[in-house]
Amino acid sequence: MASTSVSRVVQASPEQVWELIGGFHSLPDWLPYIPETVSEQGGRARRLTNAEGGVIVERMTAYSAEERYYSYVILQAPFPVTGYLSTLRVFSVPGRPEAAEIQWSGRFVPEGVSDEEAETLFTGIYRDGLEAVTTALATR
């Protein structure tokens, strides 16, 4: 099993960050790579279409608005991994009410690639995603 985690401190309150990214179906609001999401399974799953037309299907496994996180698994995707589980979480920064730390982490079993290759792939996705959150917050 391989894993990776990326975090970033942003200049917005945890509540403002969660308002932007906390909805399981809100990816198109802040992640340019995902321009469309369709709710499935009564809202517990999402069918994402990426900019190239590829389809990714994910199912939420845990959610807490109070603790500001959700976890999800990938059911279908063009990624070389199986057993993918990821969590997107927003933390308060002690002594800095105007700042929040966002952490995006995942674990997975590489399939046809090395652990390092799979970790590099998702590290890049998470890093680019957190950069997109920073950009989206700046334009609000």
Side-chain angles (χ1 to χ4, degrees):
M1 182 163 287
S3 64
T4 189
S5 182
V6 175
S7 64
R8 171 179 282 214
V9 173
V10 296
Q11 295 307 305
S13 72
E15 296 79 15
Q16 290 169 315
V17 176
W18 187 247
E19 182 180 312
L20 176 64
I21 71 171
F24 187 60
H25 301 283
S26 70
L27 288 179
D29 296 340
W30 58 271
L31 190 60
Y33 178 71
I34 303 294
E36 180 183 359
T37 181
V38 175
S39 176
E40 296 184 345
Q41 298 178 15
R44 298 282 300 168
R46 59 189 179 191
R47 177 175 296 274
L48 311 170
T49 303
N50 67 25
E52 292 81 39
V55 173
I56 304 163
V57 179
E58 301 171 334
R59 183 175 41 81
M60 184 171 32
T61 59
Y63 179 90
S64 174
E66 183 178 313
E67 296 179 50
R68 293 188 292 267
Y69 80 90
Y70 67 79
S71 298
Y72 61 96
V73 295
I74 290 179
L75 303 176
Q76 173 191 337
F79 304 127
V81 299
T82 60
Y84 177 97
L85 173 65
S86 183
T87 299
L88 185 61
R89 182 180 301 264
V90 179
F91 295 99
S92 299
V93 177
R96 296 181 57 199
E98 78 296 341
E101 179 182 359
I102 309 166
Q103 180 186 66
W104 200 348
S105 60
R107 66 178 195 242
F108 34 83
V109 178
E111 194 167 81
V113 298
S114 70
D115 285 8
E116 291 172 340
E117 289 171 307
E119 288 169 350
T120 297
L121 170 68
F122 286 103
T123 297
I125 289 170
Y126 299 165
R127 183 189 58 239
D128 293 350
L130 296 187
E131 180 64 31
V133 171
T134 303
T135 300
L137 286 167
T139 61
R140 290 186 81 133

